[in-house]
Amino acid sequence: MTRIIFLGPPGAGKGTQAKILADHWGVPHISTGDILREAIKEQTPLGVKAKSYVDSGQLVPDLLVQDMVEERLQRADTTSGWILDGFPRTVSQAAFLDNLLQKINLDGVMVINLDVPDDVVVGRLLERGRKDDSEEIIRHRLEVYRSETTPLIDYYRDRKQLIVIDGNKSPQSVTSNLKDLIVSC
């Protein structure tokens, strides 16, 4: 059973790898952004709440995101596994997820950190050509990521769940390394 949490800075390749592996193993690739957009589109009770925050330009509160993740992980398509991308982002969200997984009797979650040097991330994100991605903005996003995520990486390392993968390779090479790792565990 494949249950994976992907960590890594913006531009590390989390979304790319999550999609490839989800398709390979026939499990859902669950990103918090997708959950949020789907809930708003379908006007679920949580989606209606989230829409009010999005429409006013505010961040959706952790509790609401957590409720959406809980709802998503209990759908029928997750019984053979899932790949989480973008959640958890903080230690409090990780603790919530641990409690949720215990509550719904799921264990054996793999936490994979795609490690990519900042200069490589900056280059990748600049190549995307988004007009709001200047080098200064990208470096600031990386600083914020590091300050928020370092405690999360430590959280999973302390629990002996963290696996670090060199993401500074070709996407095909990273995919091959991930497939080998997952099959061997």
Side-chain angles (χ1 to χ4, degrees):
M1 190 157 317
T2 306
R3 287 191 289 272
I4 300 169
I5 297 169
F6 269 115
L7 304 177
K14 298 180 303 292
T16 299
Q17 295 301 327
K19 180 170 181 5
I20 291 169
L21 295 176
D23 289 347
H24 178 76
W25 274 291
V27 298
H29 166 206
I30 302 171
S31 92
T32 49
D34 291 345
I35 292 172
L36 194 58
R37 285 185 288 278
E38 182 182 333
I40 290 171
K41 180 182 167 200
E42 293 180 5
Q43 297 181 356
T44 67
L46 294 174
V48 171
K49 286 182 188 175
K51 187 175 186 322
S52 66
Y53 289 99
V54 171
D55 287 349
S56 64
Q58 298 176 29
L59 289 175
V60 178
D62 269 4
L63 289 175
L64 188 50
V65 173
Q66 291 170 186
D67 287 346
M68 293 173 133
V69 168
E70 180 172 2
E71 185 178 88
R72 180 64 184 92
L73 288 180
Q74 294 187 50
R75 287 195 197 160
D77 68 341
T78 64
T79 55
S80 61
W82 40 259
I83 299 175
L84 272 178
D85 166 19
F87 188 90
R89 295 177 83 101
T90 63
V91 171
S92 65
Q93 288 180 349
F96 161 81
L97 185 59
D98 284 349
N99 290 333
L100 171 62
L101 295 175
Q102 284 180 347
K103 182 172 108 178
I104 59 178
N105 294 318
L106 292 179
D107 57 5
V109 174
M110 221 182 235
V111 181
I112 299 173
N113 183 35
L114 290 179
D115 190 38
V116 181
D118 285 0
D119 288 342
V120 172
V121 168
V122 170
R124 287 179 182 177
L125 294 177
L126 287 173
E127 284 177 11
R128 289 183 184 175
R130 294 183 184 160
K131 54 187 165 201
D132 60 338
D133 275 350
S134 69
E135 182 169 344
E136 182 180 337
I137 289 171
I138 292 168
R139 289 201 182 274
H140 175 71
R141 285 172 50 204
L142 285 171
E143 285 174 28
V144 170
Y145 167 79
R146 300 264 183 247
S147 69
E148 289 179 355
T149 309
T150 297
L152 183 60
I153 289 170
D154 292 342
Y155 176 89
Y156 284 118
R157 184 177 289 123
D158 292 347
R159 284 162 180 70
K160 303 198 181 337
Q161 287 180 275
L162 185 71
I163 300 165
V164 179
I165 294 287
D166 182 0
N168 190 18
K169 297 180 178 179
S170 71
Q172 298 82 0
S173 179
V174 174
T175 300
S176 177
N177 290 345
L178 287 167
K179 285 179 179 177
D180 290 347
L181 169 76
I182 293 164
V183 167
S184 70
C185 288

